[in-house]
Amino acid sequence: MTMLAGKCALVTGSVQGIGLEIARALAQEGAAIAVHGLADADQAKAACAELVAAGAPDARYFDHDLSDPEAAGALVRDALAWREIDILVNNAGIQQTAPIKDMPLETFQRILTINLTAAFATMQAALPAMAARGYGRVINIASVHGLVASANKAPYVASKFGLVGMSRVAALEYAAAGSRESGGVTVNCICPGWTETAIIEPQILERAALHGGDRAAGVADLLSEKQPSRRTSVAAEIGALALWLCNPIAHNLTGVAIPVDGGWTAQ
């Protein structure tokens, strides 16, 4: 028996990047996957097929647009009409950089809606049923920017600090649900540092341009400011950590924000 046989995970933003790798890790341990993201029909079909090939007994695509504050709760309700949701991973997120003086208010609000409000709505819809069954996992993909700040990222930092704080509140509210034997209900954040995803590619290319277009030099330049390891993570590493958090043995690990940041926040 695989560890997550008979369970189902909803992973937002799971048609690519970190979300897809988390979904793959859970699928390999037997979880059915509710796939979510903004994708065309071919991308959605390919992601579902990839997860079934990895070991998921089933995968279904949901296309709810999380920039609509009402859509996140509807996403969970529609997924629940398909299967019970045992694991919720809030991974979908966006970023746009600019100084505070130049950041449009509508951009600030859009980033908070997708990165923070949507996670509130999905947790609100999913956690009561998890508590009733005695097992549940909420894993919110925050960021190193949920623990420390950087210039020109006010809405992103605000959303990720908020996500870490909100996750701690949810962890306290559900800490007593379930038991050691059932696995309990936990709420945690993973806080990646520099990770090879599309969201950081514009910053890499900007630095590469300073080094004659050398991407590797651009990566090294970018990481030298913040991440002592000077190594990026890959998305599969985040997937492996998320999988471990789903293990029933992790029943007493709740309300934490785990940095995967090469020492960034240790400074």
Side-chain angles (χ1 to χ4, degrees):
M1 291 288 288
T2 48
M3 183 176 72
L4 299 179
K7 299 195 183 306
C8 180
L10 167 59
V11 185
T12 69
S14 51
V15 293
Q16 63 180 354
I18 289 175
L20 180 57
E21 290 303 326
I22 291 173
R24 190 195 317 279
L26 303 181
Q28 288 171 343
E29 285 297 323
I33 307 294
V35 180
H36 165 266
L38 300 180
D40 61 32
D42 288 342
Q43 287 177 303
K45 183 177 179 180
C48 290
E50 194 172 331
L51 294 172
V52 170
D58 199 2
R60 180 173 294 190
Y61 172 68
F62 298 85
D63 66 354
H64 299 63
D65 182 354
L66 300 185
S67 66
D68 173 1
E70 300 296 327
L75 167 61
V76 173
R77 291 189 292 273
D78 289 350
L80 285 170
W82 174 53
R83 287 175 181 260
E84 292 181 338
I85 302 301
D86 304 285
I87 299 160
L88 169 64
V89 181
N90 282 305
N91 167 74
I94 61 170
Q95 178 178 189
Q96 185 168 324
T97 60
I100 288 174
K101 67 183 180 64
D102 298 327
M103 182 67 70
L105 180 58
E106 59 269 25
T107 300
F108 182 92
Q109 291 175 324
R110 177 177 170 82
I111 291 172
L112 260 69
T113 298
I114 294 172
N115 294 6
L116 182 59
T117 305
F120 172 82
T122 58
M123 289 195 296
Q124 185 180 55
L127 275 164
M130 292 179 181
R133 293 193 300 275
Y135 172 88
R137 294 292 184 267
V138 176
I139 302 169
N140 291 324
I141 306 304
S143 166
V144 66
H145 285 115
L147 303 171
V148 295
S150 290
N152 301 325
K153 297 182 179 180
Y156 188 75
V157 169
S159 69
K160 296 303 186 177
F161 265 73
L163 187 59
V164 169
M166 184 171 66
S167 299
R168 289 173 176 163
V169 172
L172 292 173
E173 292 182 1
Y174 287 90
S179 64
R180 182 189 301 116
E181 291 74 23
S182 69
V185 176
T186 68
V187 183
N188 293 295
C189 287
I190 298 176
C191 298
W194 293 116
T195 306
E196 294 277 352
T197 63
I199 200 170
I200 71 164
E201 192 63 19
Q203 295 172 79
I204 291 175
L205 294 178
E206 182 180 342
R207 295 302 179 97
L210 302 176
H211 298 273
D214 185 334
R215 189 178 186 280
V219 169
D221 186 15
L222 190 63
L223 268 62
S224 67
E225 296 178 2
K226 303 281 190 179
Q227 194 150 311
S229 70
R230 302 201 179 186
R231 299 187 301 272
T232 57
S233 295
V234 296
E237 296 165 17
I238 310 303
L241 176 55
L243 174 62
W244 188 85
L245 289 172
C246 293
N247 194 316
I249 202 171
H251 66 96
N252 256 342
L253 181 57
T254 193
V256 302
I258 305 172
V260 185
D261 65 0
W264 185 336
T265 54
Q267 299 176 96

